[in-house]
Amino acid sequence: MSELILFSDLYKFLGSLGPMRISMTGKTLSIGFTPMKFAGKMAKFATLNGEKNYRCLILHVDAGNPNSIKGPKIQEQVQALLGFDIEVLRKFKKKGHEVYIPLEVLLDSSNLKAAKEFTQGEYLRITHTR
């Protein structure tokens, strides 16, 4: 599976989790997914980033809280689950409320399945706690 096909598969998967507001930046291939479950404003849940230096599925684990430190703890769990080290694969500055899963890690079908299950669990967690 190529990264482009994987990107398309993840796009469809994220859209299938529930009603989403989907936004795309004008300058890069970055697509944001914001659940529309609630009447109030809800922060972005996930981003598919196809930009050369990123190429990641980004989960916003403490959406709307850029000062959060939940991201690194959950990043460690995801890395153990999928067998990668984000510091080795990507050199960009990480944010404390985000978890990064490089697309090349998801080319393995068992990793893709595990990442989708994890992502669905995070989606259910945030949409049922707000």
Side-chain angles (χ1 to χ4, degrees):
M1 177 185 306
S2 74
E3 285 186 11
L4 187 57
I5 293 170
L6 173 66
F7 196 89
S8 174
D9 181 67
L10 288 170
Y11 177 88
K12 290 174 192 172
F13 167 73
L14 290 168
S16 75
L17 292 174
M20 297 275 181
R21 185 178 76 231
I22 298 173
S23 57
M24 186 170 167
T25 61
K27 295 182 180 182
T28 64
L29 183 54
S30 178
I31 303 170
F33 296 82
T34 304
M36 295 175 52
K37 183 172 173 92
F38 304 97
K41 183 177 183 212
M42 188 149 186
K44 196 177 343 178
F45 158 68
T47 301
L48 271 176
N49 194 315
E51 187 178 334
K52 181 181 177 183
N53 295 329
Y54 281 81
R55 295 182 348 268
C56 287
L57 166 61
I58 303 168
L59 300 177
H60 305 268
V61 294
D62 198 2
N65 184 5
N67 298 319
S68 175
I69 57 170
K70 285 184 180 180
K73 293 175 186 175
I74 298 174
Q75 182 75 48
E76 287 179 16
Q77 295 171 0
V78 169
Q79 290 178 173
L81 177 69
L82 303 178
F84 74 95
D85 183 347
I86 192 65
E87 298 300 328
V88 172
L89 297 177
R90 297 293 185 274
K91 301 300 181 198
F92 56 79
K93 184 177 178 181
K94 311 329 178 268
K95 297 180 182 176
H97 68 288
E98 295 180 345
V99 171
Y100 305 87
I101 306 173
L103 294 182
E104 66 268 25
V105 171
L106 300 177
L107 291 173
D108 176 277
S109 61
S110 62
N111 278 356
L112 179 58
K113 181 180 179 194
K116 284 181 175 181
E117 289 171 357
F118 182 85
T119 301
Q120 185 172 23
E122 282 297 303
Y123 174 80
L124 291 172
R125 182 185 64 76
I126 69 153
T127 57
H128 286 89
T129 59
R130 290 192 175 213

